Amino acid sequence: MSLQRTFSIIKPDATRRNVTGAVNKMIEEAGLRIVAQKRIQMTEAQAQEFYSVHKERPFYGELVSFMISGPVVVQVLEGTDAVATYRGVMGATNPADAEEGTIRKALAESIEANSVHGSDSDENAAIEIAHFFTEDEIVG
Ligand code: ADP
Ligand code: MG
């Protein structure tokens, strides 16, 4: 157990429905601190690169289109075991499988439009954070 950072995206389905604050409330109630945050419109190239690990999957093209369909909020979250803590509060990828009390159970629309992204490892968290933030934009 140690203080860690993870990378989060509040996805276009959530910004469209004006539930950025509802997501942030659940993040903070889980004990995570939002130490950097900005609202951006992702470019197609950024979304393709971000999800390149999924480029062979049948949903890749639609996923990229979805991620650029409106603004997103990119964030750095800090806390004890931040990667695992945030994955826990996000809930399962498919909201139909997500546990009560999770962001995806409460807010997600579908397996694709599932409201939030969270890094799946410390290594990926560092890579993803560096894609969207400089160190001086992160204030813990
Ligand atoms: P997670 O976001 O829980 O880490 P994945 O990394 O497996 O999930 O998938 C990345 C994103 O791709 C998901 O959050 C979701 O938006 C989308 N996705 C995953 N599986 C599907 C699917 N079967 N159909 C459509 N979109 C999907
Ligand atoms: Mg993932």
Side-chain angles (χ1 to χ4, degrees), residues 11 13 51 54 57 59 63 66 87-99 102-105 107-118 120:
K11 296 184 180 183
D13 67 287
Y51 278 124
H54 295 304
R57 311 273 290 272
F59 57 82
L63 177 60
F66 164 62
R87 294 292 305 190
V89 75
M90 285 164 58
T93 306
N94 187 345
D97 301 329
E99 305 77 5
T102 64
I103 293 168
R104 284 168 166 169
K105 175 73 176 182
L107 297 170
E109 292 184 318
S110 67
I111 191 167
E112 178 182 80
N114 60 4
S115 301
V116 282
H117 164 84
D120 59 11

Side-chain angles (χ1 to χ4, degrees), residues 17-140:
R17 285 175 291 132
N18 207 25
V19 294
T20 298
V23 172
N24 281 351
K25 184 167 190 284
M26 294 180 79
I27 288 170
E28 292 181 340
E29 284 174 354
L32 294 164
R33 303 181 75 84
I34 301 163
V35 295
Q37 173 170 262
K38 58 189 169 190
R39 183 172 166 111
I40 61 167
Q41 172 65 53
M42 263 198 205
T43 65
E44 186 171 35
Q46 262 178 321
Q48 284 170 341
E49 160 73 17
F50 186 77
Y51 278 124
S52 60
V53 62
H54 295 304
K55 66 174 176 289
E56 306 304 334
R57 311 273 290 272
F59 57 82
Y60 176 68
E62 270 189 29
L63 177 60
V64 169
S65 299
F66 164 62
M67 291 300 289
I68 63 172
S69 67
V72 299
V73 177
V74 290
Q75 305 176 307
V76 181
L77 310 181
E78 196 171 81
T80 305
D81 286 333
V83 167
T85 300
Y86 191 42
R87 294 292 305 190
V89 75
M90 285 164 58
T93 306
N94 187 345
D97 301 329
E99 305 77 5
E100 284 297 334
T102 64
I103 293 168
R104 284 168 166 169
K105 175 73 176 182
L107 297 170
E109 292 184 318
S110 67
I111 191 167
E112 178 182 80
N114 60 4
S115 301
V116 282
H117 164 84
S119 308
D120 59 11
S121 67
D122 282 355
E123 190 191 0
N124 284 335
I127 293 167
E128 292 171 3
I129 288 168
H131 261 104
F132 291 94
F133 292 97
T134 58
E135 210 32 60
D136 67 333
E137 291 177 311
I138 306 169
V139 183

